[in-house]
Coordinates of all heavy atoms in Angstrom, one line a residue:
M1 N 0.9 -1.2 0.0 CA 0.0 0.0 0.0 C 0.9 1.2 0.0 O 1.8 1.4 0.8 CB -0.9 0.0 1.2 CG -1.7 1.2 1.4 SD -3.1 1.5 0.3 CE -4.3 0.3 1.0
T2 N 0.6 2.1 -0.9 CA 1.3 3.4 -1.1 C 0.4 4.5 -0.5 O -0.7 4.6 -0.9 CB 1.7 3.6 -2.5 OG1 2.5 2.5 -3.0 CG2 2.5 4.9 -2.6
N3 N 1.0 5.3 0.4 CA 0.2 6.4 1.0 C 0.7 7.7 0.4 O 1.8 8.2 0.7 CB 0.3 6.4 2.5 CG -0.2 5.1 3.0 OD1 -1.4 4.8 2.8 ND2 0.6 4.3 3.7
I4 N -0.2 8.4 -0.4 CA 0.1 9.6 -1.1 C -0.7 10.8 -0.5 O -1.9 10.7 -0.5 CB -0.1 9.5 -2.6 CG1 0.7 8.3 -3.1 CG2 0.2 10.8 -3.3 CD1 0.3 7.9 -4.6
L5 N 0.0 11.7 0.1 CA -0.7 12.9 0.7 C -0.5 14.1 -0.3 O 0.6 14.4 -0.8 CB 0.0 13.3 2.0 CG -0.4 14.6 2.7 CD1 -1.9 14.5 3.0 CD2 0.4 14.8 3.9
L6 N -1.7 14.7 -0.6 CA -1.7 16.0 -1.4 C -1.9 17.1 -0.5 O -2.8 17.0 0.4 CB -2.7 15.9 -2.5 CG -2.7 14.8 -3.5 CD1 -3.8 15.0 -4.6 CD2 -1.3 14.6 -4.1
V7 N -1.1 18.2 -0.6 CA -1.3 19.4 0.3 C -1.7 20.5 -0.6 O -1.1 20.8 -1.7 CB 0.0 19.7 1.0 CG1 -0.1 20.9 1.8 CG2 0.4 18.5 1.9
C8 N -2.7 21.2 -0.1 CA -3.2 22.4 -0.9 C -3.5 23.5 0.1 O -3.3 23.4 1.3 CB -4.5 22.0 -1.6 SG -5.8 21.4 -0.6
S9 N -4.1 24.6 -0.4 CA -4.5 25.7 0.5 C -5.9 25.4 1.1 O -6.0 25.4 2.3 CB -4.4 27.0 -0.1 OG -5.1 27.1 -1.3
A10 N -6.9 25.1 0.3 CA -8.2 24.8 0.8 C -8.8 23.7 0.0 O -9.5 22.9 0.6 CB -9.1 26.1 0.8
G11 N -8.7 23.8 -1.1 CA -8.8 22.8 -2.2 C -9.8 22.0 -2.8 O -9.8 20.8 -2.6
M12 N -10.7 22.6 -3.5 CA -11.7 21.9 -4.3 C -10.9 21.1 -5.4 O -11.2 20.0 -5.7 CB -12.7 22.8 -4.9 CG -13.8 23.1 -4.0 SD -14.4 21.6 -3.2 CE -16.2 21.9 -3.4
S13 N -10.0 21.8 -6.1 CA -9.3 21.2 -7.2 C -8.5 20.0 -6.8 O -8.3 19.0 -7.5 CB -8.5 22.2 -8.0 OG -7.6 22.9 -7.1
T14 N -7.9 20.1 -5.6 CA -7.1 19.0 -5.1 C -7.9 17.8 -4.8 O -7.5 16.7 -5.0 CB -6.2 19.5 -3.9 OG1 -5.5 20.7 -4.2 CG2 -5.2 18.4 -3.5
S15 N -9.1 18.0 -4.3 CA -10.0 16.9 -4.1 C -10.4 16.2 -5.4 O -10.5 15.0 -5.4 CB -11.3 17.4 -3.4 OG -11.1 17.9 -2.1
M16 N -10.5 17.0 -6.5 CA -10.8 16.4 -7.8 C -9.6 15.6 -8.2 O -9.7 14.5 -8.8 CB -11.1 17.4 -8.8 CG -12.5 18.0 -8.6 SD -13.0 19.1 -10.0 CE -11.9 20.4 -9.9
M17 N -8.4 16.1 -7.9 CA -7.1 15.4 -8.3 C -7.0 14.1 -7.6 O -6.6 13.0 -8.1 CB -5.9 16.3 -8.0 CG -4.6 15.6 -8.4 SD -4.5 15.0 -10.1 CE -4.2 16.6 -11.0
V18 N -7.4 14.0 -6.3 CA -7.4 12.8 -5.5 C -8.2 11.7 -6.2 O -7.8 10.6 -6.4 CB -7.9 13.0 -4.1 CG1 -8.2 11.7 -3.3 CG2 -6.9 13.8 -3.3
K19 N -9.4 12.2 -6.6 CA -10.3 11.2 -7.3 C -9.7 10.7 -8.6 O -9.8 9.5 -8.9 CB -11.7 11.9 -7.6 CG -12.7 11.1 -8.2 CD -14.1 11.8 -8.2 CE -15.3 11.2 -8.7 NZ -15.2 9.9 -9.3
K20 N -9.1 11.6 -9.4 CA -8.5 11.2 -10.7 C -7.3 10.2 -10.4 O -7.1 9.3 -11.2 CB -8.0 12.4 -11.4 CG -9.1 13.4 -11.8 CD -9.9 12.8 -13.0 CE -10.9 13.8 -13.6 NZ -11.6 13.3 -14.7
M21 N -6.6 10.5 -9.4 CA -5.4 9.7 -9.1 C -5.9 8.3 -8.6 O -5.3 7.2 -8.9 CB -4.5 10.3 -8.0 CG -3.7 11.5 -8.5 SD -2.8 12.3 -7.2 CE -1.6 11.1 -6.8
Q22 N -7.0 8.2 -7.8 CA -7.5 7.0 -7.3 C -8.0 6.1 -8.5 O -7.7 4.9 -8.5 CB -8.6 7.2 -6.3 CG -8.2 7.7 -5.0 CD -9.3 8.2 -4.1 OE1 -10.3 8.6 -4.5 NE2 -9.0 8.2 -2.8
E23 N -8.6 6.8 -9.4 CA -9.1 6.1 -10.7 C -7.9 5.5 -11.4 O -8.0 4.4 -11.9 CB -9.9 7.0 -11.5 CG -11.2 7.4 -11.0 CD -11.9 8.6 -11.7 OE1 -11.3 9.1 -12.7 OE2 -13.0 9.0 -11.3
A24 N -6.8 6.3 -11.6 CA -5.6 5.8 -12.3 C -5.0 4.7 -11.6 O -4.6 3.7 -12.2 CB -4.6 7.0 -12.4
A25 N -5.0 4.8 -10.2 CA -4.4 3.7 -9.4 C -5.2 2.4 -9.6 O -4.6 1.3 -9.7 CB -4.3 4.0 -8.0
E26 N -6.5 2.4 -9.6 CA -7.4 1.3 -9.8 C -7.1 0.7 -11.1 O -7.0 -0.5 -11.3 CB -8.8 1.7 -9.6 CG -9.3 1.9 -8.2 CD -10.7 2.5 -8.0 OE1 -11.5 2.3 -9.0 OE2 -10.9 3.1 -7.0
E27 N -7.0 1.5 -12.2 CA -6.8 1.0 -13.5 C -5.5 0.2 -13.6 O -5.4 -0.7 -14.4 CB -6.8 2.2 -14.5 CG -8.1 2.7 -14.9 CD -8.1 3.9 -15.8 OE1 -7.1 4.1 -16.5 OE2 -9.0 4.7 -15.8
K28 N -4.5 0.8 -12.9 CA -3.1 0.1 -13.0 C -2.9 -0.9 -11.9 O -1.8 -1.4 -11.7 CB -2.1 1.2 -12.8 CG -2.0 2.2 -13.9 CD -1.1 3.4 -13.7 CE -1.2 4.4 -14.7 NZ 0.0 4.7 -15.4
K29 N -4.0 -1.2 -11.2 CA -3.9 -2.2 -10.1 C -2.9 -1.9 -9.1 O -2.1 -2.8 -8.6 CB -3.7 -3.7 -10.7 CG -4.6 -4.0 -11.9 CD -5.8 -4.9 -11.3 CE -6.6 -5.5 -12.5 NZ -7.6 -4.6 -13.0
I30 N -2.8 -0.7 -8.7 CA -1.9 -0.2 -7.7 C -2.7 0.1 -6.4 O -3.7 0.8 -6.5 CB -1.2 1.1 -8.1 CG1 -0.3 0.8 -9.4 CG2 -0.3 1.7 -7.0 CD1 0.3 2.0 -10.0
E31 N -2.2 -0.5 -5.3 CA -2.9 -0.3 -4.0 C -2.3 1.0 -3.5 O -1.2 1.2 -3.2 CB -2.6 -1.4 -3.0 CG -3.5 -2.6 -3.2 CD -3.4 -3.5 -2.1 OE1 -3.6 -3.1 -0.9 OE2 -3.1 -4.7 -2.3
A32 N -3.2 2.0 -3.4 CA -2.8 3.3 -2.9 C -3.9 4.0 -2.1 O -5.1 3.9 -2.5 CB -2.4 4.2 -4.1
E33 N -3.5 4.6 -1.1 CA -4.4 5.5 -0.3 C -3.9 6.9 -0.7 O -2.8 7.3 -0.5 CB -4.3 5.3 1.2 CG -5.4 6.2 1.9 CD -5.5 5.9 3.4 OE1 -5.0 4.9 3.9 OE2 -6.1 6.7 4.1
I34 N -4.8 7.7 -1.2 CA -4.5 9.1 -1.6 C -5.5 10.0 -1.0 O -6.7 9.8 -1.0 CB -4.6 9.2 -3.2 CG1 -3.8 8.1 -3.8 CG2 -4.2 10.6 -3.6 CD1 -4.1 7.8 -5.3
W35 N -5.0 11.0 -0.3 CA -5.9 12.0 0.3 C -5.3 13.4 0.3 O -4.1 13.5 0.1 CB -6.3 11.5 1.7 CG -5.2 11.7 2.8 CD1 -5.1 12.6 3.8 CD2 -4.0 10.8 3.0 NE1 -3.9 12.4 4.5 CE2 -3.3 11.3 4.1 CE3 -3.5 9.7 2.3 CZ2 -2.1 10.7 4.5 CZ3 -2.3 9.1 2.7 CH2 -1.6 9.6 3.8
A36 N -6.1 14.4 0.5 CA -5.7 15.8 0.5 C -6.0 16.5 1.8 O -7.0 16.2 2.4 CB -6.3 16.5 -0.6
V37 N -5.1 17.3 2.2 CA -5.4 18.2 3.4 C -4.9 19.6 3.1 O -4.1 19.8 2.2 CB -4.6 17.6 4.7 CG1 -5.1 16.2 5.0 CG2 -3.1 17.6 4.5
G38 N -5.4 20.5 3.9 CA -4.9 21.9 3.8 C -3.5 21.9 4.5 O -3.0 21.1 5.2
D39 N -2.7 22.9 4.1 CA -1.3 23.0 4.5 C -1.1 23.0 6.0 O -0.2 22.5 6.6 CB -0.6 24.2 3.9 CG -1.2 25.5 4.2 OD1 -2.2 25.9 3.5 OD2 -0.7 26.2 5.1
A40 N -2.1 23.6 6.7 CA -2.0 23.6 8.2 C -2.2 22.2 8.8 O -1.7 22.0 9.9 CB -3.1 24.5 8.7
D41 N -2.8 21.3 8.1 CA -3.0 19.9 8.6 C -1.9 19.0 8.2 O -1.9 17.8 8.6 CB -4.4 19.4 8.1 CG -5.3 19.1 9.2 OD1 -5.0 19.3 10.3 OD2 -6.4 18.6 8.8
A42 N -1.0 19.4 7.3 CA 0.0 18.5 6.8 C 0.8 17.8 7.9 O 1.0 16.6 7.9 CB 0.9 19.2 5.8
V43 N 1.2 18.6 8.9 CA 2.0 18.0 10.0 C 1.3 16.9 10.7 O 2.0 15.9 11.1 CB 2.5 19.1 10.9 CG1 1.2 19.6 11.8 CG2 3.6 18.7 11.9
N44 N 0.0 16.9 10.7 CA -0.7 15.8 11.4 C -0.8 14.5 10.5 O -1.4 13.5 11.0 CB -2.1 16.3 11.8 CG -2.1 17.5 12.7 OD1 -1.2 17.5 13.6 ND2 -2.9 18.4 12.5
N45 N -0.4 14.6 9.3 CA -0.5 13.5 8.4 C 0.8 12.9 7.9 O 0.9 11.9 7.1 CB -1.3 14.0 7.1 CG -2.8 14.1 7.4 OD1 -3.6 13.2 7.3 ND2 -3.1 15.3 7.9
V46 N 1.9 13.4 8.4 CA 3.3 13.0 7.9 C 3.5 11.6 8.3 O 4.1 10.8 7.5 CB 4.3 14.0 8.5 CG1 5.7 13.4 8.4 CG2 4.2 15.3 7.9
E47 N 3.2 11.1 9.5 CA 3.5 9.8 9.9 C 2.8 8.7 9.0 O 3.4 7.7 8.7 CB 3.0 9.5 11.3 CG 4.0 9.9 12.3 CD 3.7 9.5 13.8 OE1 3.2 8.4 13.9 OE2 3.8 10.3 14.7
K48 N 1.7 9.0 8.5 CA 0.9 8.1 7.7 C 1.3 8.0 6.2 O 1.1 7.1 5.5 CB -0.6 8.4 7.8 CG -1.6 7.5 7.2 CD -3.0 8.0 7.5 CE -3.9 7.5 6.4 NZ -5.2 8.0 6.6
M49 N 1.9 9.1 5.7 CA 2.2 9.2 4.3 C 3.6 8.6 3.9 O 4.5 8.4 4.8 CB 2.2 10.6 3.9 CG 3.3 11.5 4.5 SD 3.8 12.8 3.5 CE 5.5 13.1 4.0
D50 N 3.7 8.2 2.7 CA 5.0 7.8 2.1 C 5.6 8.9 1.3 O 6.8 9.0 1.1 CB 4.8 6.5 1.2 CG 4.2 5.3 2.0 OD1 4.8 5.1 3.1 OD2 3.3 4.7 1.6
V51 N 4.7 9.7 0.7 CA 5.2 10.8 -0.2 C 4.2 11.9 -0.1 O 3.0 11.7 0.1 CB 5.4 10.3 -1.7 CG1 4.0 9.7 -2.2 CG2 5.9 11.3 -2.6
M52 N 4.7 13.1 -0.2 CA 3.8 14.3 -0.2 C 4.0 15.1 -1.5 O 5.1 15.4 -1.9 CB 4.2 15.2 1.0 CG 3.4 16.5 1.1 SD 4.1 17.7 2.3 CE 4.0 16.8 3.8
L53 N 2.8 15.4 -2.1 CA 2.8 16.3 -3.3 C 2.1 17.6 -3.0 O 1.0 17.5 -2.4 CB 2.1 15.5 -4.4 CG 2.8 14.3 -4.9 CD1 2.0 13.6 -6.1 CD2 4.2 14.6 -5.5
L54 N 2.6 18.7 -3.4 CA 2.0 20.0 -3.1 C 1.3 20.5 -4.4 O 1.9 20.4 -5.4 CB 3.1 21.0 -2.7 CG 4.0 20.6 -1.6 CD1 5.1 21.7 -1.4 CD2 3.3 20.4 -0.3
G55 N 0.2 21.0 -4.2 CA -0.5 21.7 -5.3 C 0.3 22.9 -5.8 O 1.0 23.5 -4.9
P56 N 0.3 23.2 -7.0 CA 1.2 24.3 -7.6 C 0.9 25.6 -6.8 O 1.8 26.4 -6.7 CB 0.8 24.4 -9.0 CG 0.2 23.0 -9.4 CD -0.4 22.5 -8.1
Q57 N -0.3 25.8 -6.3 CA -0.7 27.0 -5.7 C 0.0 27.2 -4.3 O 0.0 28.3 -3.7 CB -2.2 27.2 -5.5 CG -2.9 26.2 -4.6 CD -3.2 24.9 -5.2 OE1 -2.5 24.4 -6.1 NE2 -4.3 24.2 -4.7
V58 N 0.5 26.1 -3.8 CA 1.3 26.2 -2.5 C 2.7 25.8 -2.6 O 3.4 25.4 -1.7 CB 0.6 25.4 -1.3 CG1 -0.8 26.0 -1.0 CG2 0.5 23.9 -1.7
R59 N 3.3 26.0 -3.9 CA 4.7 25.6 -4.1 C 5.6 26.4 -3.2 O 6.7 25.9 -2.9 CB 5.0 25.8 -5.6 CG 5.0 27.3 -6.0 CD 5.4 27.5 -7.5 NE 6.2 26.4 -8.1 CZ 5.8 25.7 -9.1 NH1 4.6 25.9 -9.6 NH2 6.5 24.7 -9.6
F60 N 5.2 27.6 -2.7 CA 6.1 28.4 -1.8 C 6.3 27.7 -0.5 O 7.2 28.1 0.2 CB 5.5 29.8 -1.6 CG 4.1 29.8 -0.9 CD1 4.1 29.9 0.4 CD2 3.0 29.6 -1.7 CE1 2.8 29.9 1.1 CE2 1.7 29.6 -1.0 CZ 1.6 29.7 0.3
L61 N 5.5 26.6 -0.2 CA 5.7 25.9 1.1 C 6.6 24.7 1.0 O 6.7 24.0 2.0 CB 4.3 25.4 1.6 CG 3.2 26.5 2.0 CD1 1.9 25.8 2.2 CD2 3.7 27.2 3.2
E62 N 7.2 24.5 -0.2 CA 8.0 23.3 -0.4 C 9.1 23.1 0.6 O 9.2 22.0 1.2 CB 8.6 23.3 -1.8 CG 9.3 22.0 -2.1 CD 9.7 21.9 -3.6 OE1 9.7 22.9 -4.3 OE2 10.2 20.8 -4.0
S63 N 9.9 24.1 1.0 CA 10.9 23.9 1.9 C 10.4 23.7 3.3 O 10.9 22.8 4.1 CB 11.9 25.1 1.9 OG 11.3 26.3 2.2
K64 N 9.3 24.3 3.7 CA 8.7 24.1 5.0 C 8.2 22.6 5.1 O 8.3 22.0 6.1 CB 7.5 25.1 5.2 CG 6.7 24.9 6.5 CD 5.5 25.8 6.6 CE 4.7 25.5 7.8 NZ 3.5 26.4 7.9
M65 N 7.5 22.1 4.0 CA 7.0 20.8 4.0 C 8.1 19.8 4.1 O 8.0 18.7 4.7 CB 6.0 20.6 2.8 CG 4.8 21.4 2.9 SD 3.8 21.0 4.4 CE 3.0 22.6 4.7
K66 N 9.2 20.0 3.4 CA 10.3 19.1 3.4 C 10.9 19.0 4.8 O 11.3 17.9 5.3 CB 11.4 19.6 2.4 CG 11.1 19.2 1.0 CD 12.2 19.6 0.0 CE 11.8 19.2 -1.4 NZ 12.9 19.5 -2.4
A67 N 10.9 20.1 5.5 CA 11.4 20.1 6.9 C 10.5 19.3 7.8 O 11.0 18.7 8.7 CB 11.4 21.6 7.4
I68 N 9.2 19.3 7.6 CA 8.4 18.5 8.5 C 8.2 17.0 8.0 O 7.6 16.2 8.8 CB 6.9 19.1 8.7 CG1 6.1 19.1 7.4 CG2 7.1 20.5 9.3 CD1 4.7 19.5 7.6
A69 N 8.6 16.8 6.8 CA 8.4 15.4 6.2 C 9.3 14.3 6.8 O 9.2 13.1 6.5 CB 8.5 15.5 4.7
G70 N 10.3 14.8 7.5 CA 11.2 13.8 8.1 C 12.0 12.9 7.1 O 12.1 11.7 7.3
G71 N 12.4 13.5 6.0 CA 13.2 12.7 5.0 C 12.3 12.0 4.0 O 12.9 11.5 3.0
K72 N 11.0 12.0 4.1 CA 10.1 11.4 3.1 C 10.1 12.4 1.9 O 10.2 13.6 2.1 CB 8.8 11.2 3.7 CG 8.8 10.1 4.8 CD 7.3 9.9 5.3 CE 7.3 9.0 6.5 NZ 6.0 8.8 7.1
P73 N 9.9 11.8 0.7 CA 9.9 12.6 -0.5 C 8.8 13.7 -0.5 O 7.6 13.3 -0.1 CB 9.8 11.7 -1.7 CG 9.7 10.3 -1.1 CD 9.7 10.4 0.4
V74 N 9.1 14.9 -0.9 CA 8.1 16.0 -1.1 C 8.4 16.6 -2.5 O 9.6 16.9 -2.8 CB 8.3 17.0 0.0 CG1 7.4 18.2 -0.2 CG2 8.1 16.4 1.4
A75 N 7.4 16.9 -3.2 CA 7.6 17.6 -4.5 C 6.3 18.4 -4.8 O 5.2 18.2 -4.3 CB 7.9 16.6 -5.6
V76 N 6.5 19.4 -5.8 CA 5.3 20.1 -6.2 C 4.8 19.4 -7.5 O 5.5 18.9 -8.3 CB 5.8 21.6 -6.7 CG1 4.6 22.4 -7.3 CG2 6.4 22.3 -5.5
I77 N 3.5 19.3 -7.5 CA 2.8 18.6 -8.6 C 3.1 19.4 -9.9 O 3.0 20.6 -9.9 CB 1.3 18.5 -8.4 CG1 1.0 17.6 -7.2 CG2 0.6 17.9 -9.6 CD1 -0.5 17.7 -6.8
D78 N 3.4 18.7 -11.0 CA 3.6 19.2 -12.3 C 2.4 20.1 -12.6 O 1.3 19.7 -12.6 CB 3.8 18.1 -13.3 CG 3.9 18.7 -14.7 OD1 5.0 19.2 -15.1 OD2 2.9 18.6 -15.4
M79 N 2.7 21.4 -13.0 CA 1.6 22.4 -13.2 C 0.7 22.0 -14.3 O -0.5 22.1 -14.2 CB 2.1 23.8 -13.4 CG 1.0 24.8 -13.3 SD 1.7 26.5 -13.4 CE 2.6 26.7 -11.9
Q80 N 1.3 21.5 -15.4 CA 0.4 21.1 -16.6 C -0.5 19.9 -16.2 O -1.6 19.9 -16.5 CB 1.3 20.7 -17.7 CG 0.4 20.5 -19.0 CD 1.3 20.3 -20.2 OE1 2.5 20.2 -20.2 NE2 0.6 20.1 -21.4
A81 N 0.1 18.9 -15.5 CA -0.7 17.7 -15.1 C -1.8 18.2 -14.1 O -2.9 17.7 -14.2 CB 0.2 16.7 -14.4
Y82 N -1.5 19.1 -13.3 CA -2.5 19.6 -12.3 C -3.6 20.3 -13.0 O -4.8 20.1 -12.8 CB -1.8 20.5 -11.3 CG -2.7 20.8 -10.1 CD1 -2.8 20.0 -9.0 CD2 -3.5 22.0 -10.1 CE1 -3.7 20.3 -7.9 CE2 -4.3 22.3 -9.0 CZ -4.4 21.4 -7.9 OH -5.2 21.7 -6.9
G83 N -3.2 21.2 -13.9 CA -4.2 22.0 -14.7 C -5.1 21.2 -15.5 O -6.3 21.6 -15.7
T84 N -4.6 20.1 -16.1 CA -5.4 19.3 -16.9 C -6.1 18.1 -16.1 O -6.7 17.2 -16.7 CB -4.6 18.7 -18.1 OG1 -3.5 17.9 -17.6 CG2 -4.1 19.8 -19.0
M85 N -5.9 18.1 -14.8 CA -6.4 17.0 -13.9 C -6.0 15.6 -14.4 O -6.8 14.7 -14.5 CB -7.9 17.1 -13.8 CG -8.4 18.3 -12.9 SD -8.0 18.0 -11.2 CE -7.3 19.6 -10.7
N86 N -4.7 15.5 -14.8 CA -4.2 14.3 -15.3 C -3.7 13.4 -14.1 O -2.6 13.4 -13.7 CB -3.0 14.5 -16.3 CG -2.5 13.3 -16.9 OD1 -2.7 12.2 -16.4 ND2 -1.9 13.4 -18.1
G87 N -4.7 12.7 -13.5 CA -4.4 11.9 -12.3 C -3.3 10.8 -12.5 O -2.5 10.5 -11.7
A88 N -3.3 10.2 -13.7 CA -2.3 9.2 -14.1 C -0.9 9.8 -14.0 O 0.0 9.1 -13.4 CB -2.6 8.5 -15.4
K89 N -0.8 10.9 -14.5 CA 0.6 11.6 -14.6 C 1.0 11.9 -13.2 O 2.2 11.8 -12.8 CB 0.6 12.8 -15.5 CG 2.0 13.4 -15.7 CD 2.0 14.3 -16.8 CE 3.4 14.8 -17.1 NZ 3.5 15.8 -18.1
V90 N 0.1 12.5 -12.3 CA 0.5 12.8 -11.0 C 0.7 11.6 -10.1 O 1.7 11.6 -9.3 CB -0.6 13.7 -10.3 CG1 -0.3 14.1 -8.9 CG2 -0.8 15.0 -11.2
L91 N 0.0 10.5 -10.3 CA 0.3 9.3 -9.7 C 1.7 8.8 -10.1 O 2.5 8.3 -9.2 CB -0.8 8.2 -10.1 CG -0.6 6.8 -9.5 CD1 -0.6 6.8 -8.0 CD2 -1.5 5.9 -10.1
E92 N 2.0 8.9 -11.3 CA 3.3 8.4 -11.8 C 4.4 9.3 -11.1 O 5.4 8.7 -10.8 CB 3.3 8.6 -13.3 CG 4.6 8.1 -14.0 CD 4.6 8.3 -15.5 OE1 3.6 7.9 -16.1 OE2 5.6 8.9 -16.0
Q93 N 4.2 10.5 -11.0 CA 5.2 11.4 -10.3 C 5.4 10.9 -8.9 O 6.5 10.8 -8.5 CB 4.7 12.9 -10.3 CG 5.6 13.9 -9.7 CD 5.1 15.3 -9.6 OE1 4.0 15.6 -10.1 NE2 5.9 16.2 -9.1
A94 N 4.3 10.6 -8.2 CA 4.4 10.2 -6.8 C 5.2 8.9 -6.8 O 6.1 8.7 -5.9 CB 3.1 10.0 -6.2
L95 N 4.9 7.9 -7.6 CA 5.6 6.6 -7.6 C 7.0 6.7 -7.9 O 7.9 6.0 -7.4 CB 4.8 5.6 -8.6 CG 3.4 5.3 -8.2 CD1 2.7 4.5 -9.3 CD2 3.3 4.7 -6.8
K96 N 7.4 7.6 -8.9 CA 8.7 7.9 -9.3 C 9.5 8.3 -8.0 O 10.7 8.0 -7.8 CB 8.8 8.9 -10.4 CG 9.3 8.3 -11.7 CD 9.5 9.4 -12.7 CE 9.2 8.8 -14.1 NZ 9.1 9.7 -15.2
L97 N 8.9 9.2 -7.3 CA 9.6 9.8 -6.1 C 9.9 8.7 -5.1 O 10.9 8.8 -4.3 CB 8.8 10.9 -5.4 CG 8.7 12.2 -6.2 CD1 7.5 13.0 -5.6 CD2 10.0 13.0 -6.0
L98 N 9.1 7.7 -5.1 CA 9.3 6.5 -4.2 C 10.2 5.5 -4.8 O 10.3 4.4 -4.2 CB 8.0 5.9 -3.8 CG 7.1 6.9 -3.0 CD1 5.7 6.3 -2.9 CD2 7.7 7.0 -1.6
G99 N 10.6 5.7 -6.0 CA 11.5 4.7 -6.7 C 10.8 3.5 -7.2 O 11.3 2.4 -7.3
M100 N 9.5 3.7 -7.5 CA 8.7 2.6 -8.0 C 8.4 2.7 -9.5 O 8.4 3.7 -10.1 CB 7.3 2.6 -7.2 CG 7.5 2.4 -5.8 SD 5.9 2.7 -4.9 CE 5.2 1.1 -5.0

């Protein structure tokens, strides 16, 4: 099971991305738990996650999130993939960060 945390500011669009990523994971037969939280809640979700992806709108928080992630991978979601709601591409980005 791969645990993927998406971090956003408040996020309707990030919730849609979670759904698209879950659909992509099901199609590829990948067991993944994918969820989104606001940036203030990220610290409460670090233990449970394997990788953290930030919505492009909160890219300025990348160094702060890396500091709280305890060495787990953190990256900003590719802006084009986010803008087109390409869940498969964002899932691929998360899996790459995990070396999968």
Side-chain angles (χ1 to χ4, degrees):
M1 174 74 74
T2 303
N3 297 303
I4 303 169
L5 173 63
L6 304 186
V7 176
C8 58
S9 52
M12 280 308 228
S13 55
T14 308
S15 296
M16 287 190 296
M17 179 56 74
V18 166
K19 187 174 179 355
K20 296 286 189 180
M21 289 175 71
Q22 287 169 334
E23 290 168 0
E26 286 172 21
E27 283 176 22
K28 296 176 187 234
K29 308 263 188 276
I30 295 170
E31 277 192 56
E33 182 174 349
I34 306 163
W35 73 104
V37 298
D39 59 277
D41 240 3
V43 70
N44 300 321
N45 287 268
V46 168
E47 275 189 43
K48 187 175 153 187
M49 66 152 205
D50 298 315
V51 59
M52 180 190 298
L53 295 177
L54 307 178
Q57 68 275 30
V58 292
R59 68 179 337 117
F60 64 93
L61 294 173
E62 186 174 10
S63 60
K64 177 183 175 183
M65 293 300 150
K66 283 182 176 180
I68 67 167
K72 294 178 183 178
V74 175
V76 177
I77 297 171
D78 175 78
M79 192 176 293
Q80 185 176 6
Y82 191 85
T84 58
M85 285 290 135
N86 188 335
K89 189 168 182 182
V90 178
L91 176 64
E92 184 179 309
Q93 181 182 3
L95 296 175
K96 251 185 210 170
L97 286 166
L98 291 168
M100 301 172 83

